[in-house]
Amino acid sequence: MVYFEHATDPVTFGLFMVLYYASIPLAIIVWAFKYYPYIQKREYHLKELGAFLLLAFMVTSFSGYSLLNQYLYLHSPFDSISCYTSSCVLSSALTSEYGFSEEELKSYGLPSVGVMTVFRISDVVVSKSLLKPKRLNNIVITRAWLILPVVDVYVYHVSTGPTKRIVGKERFYFVWPLSPGSFLSEKFDADFTVLITGNSGAGA
């Protein structure tokens, strides 16, 4: 089951997908084209290449972060939470509305600073390994590195039952050029697809 109201639109999804996969190769091509006469003379202008790549890494990291968020949002019954500090996470709806303990979150550790999005994941999916229904019951925080084409994915496991207790934590690294859908499907042992408004969902 997914939350259809959290579907994305084709323009947004397509734009981030193109930027995610194309930015780094394009940066290298532009550098090679611009400095080709110098490269032939073995003058490689590596500082300029570094500048091109740094910009490409920032675009790629943010695009990958945005793509992961679109996949995760489909499995959240709540609005996502945008934060830049751990104190923002601790004072967010996680504690004020959803009933999680601030002390528990602190004890398991939170990313300190960065461009972050917080999701309360709660959904029933089909396990890829067991081929039977399983419940996703997690807090997930994504954080873009920006200086490298990497996104942190913090997964906090929530206990089943009436009490909302955090019972475990895992940290994953989403690294270019991994597929966002395949990455999440592997880590959560469930089929993660994206749902585009007006069209059927498709894995990416």
Side-chain angles (χ1 to χ4, degrees), residues 6-42:
H6 293 169
T8 186
D9 65 271
V11 174
T12 301
F13 182 78
L15 175 63
F16 282 126
M17 188 64 77
V18 169
L19 290 174
Y20 173 69
Y21 281 111
S23 294
I24 293 174
L26 182 61
I28 296 172
I29 291 170
V30 169
W31 166 79
F33 180 80
K34 183 174 182 179
Y35 295 102
Y36 181 71
Y38 299 97
I39 294 171
Q40 286 184 309
K41 301 174 185 177
R42 299 183 182 275

Side-chain angles (χ1 to χ4, degrees), residues 124-136 185 188-191:
V124 176
V125 296
V126 176
S127 167
K128 293 189 70 175
S129 60
L130 301 176
L131 300 179
K132 65 179 184 179
K134 62 173 284 187
R135 173 164 288 280
L136 296 178
S185 295
F188 285 90
D189 186 31
D191 188 21

